[in-house]
Amino acid sequence: MDYVEKCPRCGGQVVEKEVKEVLWGGNNTAFLTVRAGVCLHCAERLYTPDTIKRFEEVEAKLKQKSTAEFRPVGRSFEVAL
Ligand SMILES: [Zn+2]
């Protein structure tokens, strides 16, 4: 994959890593594990256009509640304190 070598934010070194990302759509949440470029200095994450496109697809599915292909991992609760 092609990531920039230097972080556009701080100029730090960027390495490819597996990271967890959380996406929201409507009331639904999805947890993804994706490859991303991560700055060793400021932890800025850099995604490829393909990955960003996938994120948008997942967010759209969450919004439309078409989550049949996603594996449920738990329930979310709203708690008023
Ligand atoms: Zn940085």
Side-chain angles (χ1 to χ4, degrees), residues 6-7 20 26 45 48 51 63 68:
K6 284 197 185 292
C7 173
K20 291 236 180 205
R45 290 176 178 187
T48 62
T51 305
K63 258 183 220 152

Side-chain angles (χ1 to χ4, degrees), residues 7-12 39-44:
C7 173
R9 207 163 104 183
C10 75
C39 173
L40 293 176
H41 185 69
C42 74
E44 175 87 342

Side-chain angles (χ1 to χ4, degrees), residues 3 10 16-17 22 24 30 33 37 39 44 47 49 52 62 69 77-81:
Y3 296 106
C10 75
E16 190 182 340
K17 278 190 187 181
V22 186
W24 288 271
T33 304
C39 173
E44 175 87 342
Y47 298 109
I52 291 166
L62 289 171
E69 70 192 76
F77 300 95
E78 184 176 278
V79 181
L81 295 177

